[in-house]
Amino acid sequence: GVDIDKVMKAEAVFKDCMKDYFLPPEATMVEPMIPWSPMPGGALTANTQMLRDNGIMDKYPAIITAMGEVVRRGGFGTSVTPVSQFYFQQAFNNVMFGPWEKIAEGYGKMVLGYFGRTPVEPDAEIMAIASKQLDLEPTTQTPIQINDSDPKKGLAAAGKLLDAAGLEKTEENLFIAAACKDKGIAYLLGDAKLGVRKTLKHEKPAQSKSEGPEGYTVSVDGKAYAVFLDGPQAVVNGKTYQIDVEEGASGSRAVPTNKKQAATADAQSIKAPMPGTVVRVCCEVGESVKSGDEILVLEAMKMEAPIKAPCDGTVSSIAVAQGDQITSGQILAYIN
């Protein structure tokens, strides 16, 4: 009793509705490596978009190939949210840092039993590596028992986050704060970044050189960016941003000038180990730090990576701010 022609009509309507939006190519085709991994479509495109945002989409083939071993040695947990994300994160780490050199927190906790039992016992070697890196012992406690004993979880902890942000403690807000922590608060405050991408049509009528270029190369701190302007949108290195340009600089938009002190000859730079986004800056210029203290926290592929001081000293410069997108090897700060 199904009218199969309606499927084609529905597809035509979908394409019309989405004509102004970017659809990742890997979301529109069958790729044998994807079910073999396995990698469900929703998690696939969320992760490939993050790879694009960080300028490392070229790593995708190696990551999806690494998934098979990660799934097998992790105990064959069902590859749906959030386990599919754990798998992708660990495959990402295995490609970026070397096999099993860096255990993703979610994946490590899964193989150690913190989310319950996996269908198959995880590989003993991987469990030992995860236990050492995360400083956690394997557990047979249920997730409910584990959560009940964690003061950072529950309604009270979520309520404190909302109070600190000046947000109302509704049931919805409590759920969002409890489930998503800092990201949930950013979302409720309207500070979260949208992942929706519109396609831009750069085809323009022929114009003389006197009318100006279609695009610009903008260099900031020695890094070049390809910028195309199209009305209220700008495309920077392939990523679309909504923009609003006004004459003059309001005080709220002024760039702070107290980010630096004089760096000594032996000042040590702190570089980003991988591309990502600055989630938190944990210290200020002029602050004394000890080796191992957190300077800031990066996020890549939904994983937070604390960047720690390599030595004792004084923070002489912080070159980034919360929300900045950074590249691998970029200097984040200096310590005298």
Side-chain angles (χ1 to χ4, degrees), residues 220-274:
V220 180
D221 287 340
K223 179 176 174 57
Y225 298 85
V227 180
F228 289 87
L229 302 180
D230 191 352
Q233 294 181 326
V235 180
V236 182
N237 285 358
K239 185 176 179 182
T240 303
Y241 299 87
Q242 298 296 321
I243 62 171
D244 180 21
V245 180
E246 300 175 2
E247 291 188 5
S250 63
S252 62
R253 297 185 183 182
V255 178
T257 57
N258 59 348
K259 286 286 186 181
K260 293 183 179 180
Q261 291 184 345
T264 61
D266 60 347
Q268 187 160 346
S269 64
I270 302 175
K271 297 181 179 180
M274 60 182 178

Side-chain angles (χ1 to χ4, degrees), residues 36-55:
W36 185 260
S37 298
M39 192 68 201
L44 174 74
T45 51
N47 283 288
T48 54
Q49 289 293 59
M50 285 187 283
L51 291 176
R52 285 187 176 90
D53 289 347
N54 288 291

Side-chain angles (χ1 to χ4, degrees), residues 309-336:
C311 59
D312 296 353
T314 302
V315 178
S316 59
S317 173
I318 299 176
V320 295
Q322 182 177 353
D324 285 357
Q325 188 83 25
I326 54 90
T327 59
S328 181
Q330 181 175 334
I331 293 177
L332 306 174
Y334 283 97
I335 293 181
N336 282 346

Side-chain angles (χ1 to χ4, degrees), residues 18 20 53 102 157 170 200 212 215 256 281 317:
M18 296 297 294
D20 293 332
D53 289 347
K102 183 176 177 59
T170 64
L200 291 183
V281 177
S317 173

Side-chain angles (χ1 to χ4, degrees), residues 28-281:
T28 62
M29 64 182 71
V30 176
E31 161 59 61
M33 289 300 295
I34 294 171
W36 185 260
S37 298
M39 192 68 201
L44 174 74
T45 51
N47 283 288
T48 54
Q49 289 293 59
M50 285 187 283
L51 291 176
R52 285 187 176 90
D53 289 347
N54 288 291
I56 49 175
M57 186 60 184
D58 61 301
K59 302 294 184 183
Y60 165 68
I63 294 170
I64 206 70
T65 299
M67 287 275 291
E69 181 188 16
V70 168
V71 172
R72 175 174 55 82
R73 301 187 76 179
F76 290 98
T78 304
S79 194
V80 294
T81 301
V83 176
S84 57
Q85 187 65 31
F86 298 160
Y87 286 148
F88 199 95
Q89 289 172 341
Q90 189 57 56
F92 172 84
N93 282 356
N94 283 2
V95 169
M96 298 298 290
F97 301 103
W100 312 109
E101 292 294 322
K102 183 176 177 59
I103 296 293
E105 182 180 6
Y107 183 85
K109 286 185 174 180
M110 180 182 71
V111 300
L112 293 175
Y114 284 81
F115 304 127
R117 293 180 60 184
T118 52
V120 176
E121 186 74 9
D123 186 284
E125 180 186 5
I126 302 306
M127 290 180 66
I129 294 172
S131 180
K132 181 179 180 180
Q133 288 192 22
L134 301 182
D135 195 24
L136 288 173
E137 292 297 322
T139 184
T140 57
Q141 281 190 305
T142 67
I144 292 176
Q145 292 172 320
I146 295 170
N147 291 341
D148 281 346
S149 62
D150 189 342
K152 295 181 179 179
K153 296 181 178 179
L155 287 176
K160 289 181 180 179
L161 290 175
L162 293 171
D163 286 340
L167 294 166
E168 186 180 359
K169 286 188 282 192
T170 64
E171 287 189 350
E172 183 179 25
N173 287 358
L174 285 166
F175 174 80
I176 292 172
C180 304
K181 301 293 189 290
D182 292 343
K183 292 182 185 177
I185 297 299
Y187 166 76
L188 292 171
L189 291 172
D191 295 334
K193 292 184 177 180
L194 293 177
V196 177
R197 292 160 175 79
K198 278 198 169 186
T199 56
L200 291 183
K201 296 178 176 61
H202 296 302
E203 297 78 17
K204 297 181 180 180
Q207 58 182 7
S208 65
K209 291 185 177 180
S210 62
E211 293 175 313
E214 292 186 358
Y216 303 86
T217 299
V218 180
S219 296
V220 180
D221 287 340
K223 179 176 174 57
Y225 298 85
V227 180
F228 289 87
L229 302 180
D230 191 352
Q233 294 181 326
V235 180
V236 182
N237 285 358
K239 185 176 179 182
T240 303
Y241 299 87
Q242 298 296 321
I243 62 171
D244 180 21
V245 180
E246 300 175 2
E247 291 188 5
S250 63
S252 62
R253 297 185 183 182
V255 178
T257 57
N258 59 348
K259 286 286 186 181
K260 293 183 179 180
Q261 291 184 345
T264 61
D266 60 347
Q268 187 160 346
S269 64
I270 302 175
K271 297 181 179 180
M274 60 182 178
T277 303
V278 179
V279 179
R280 289 185 297 279
V281 177

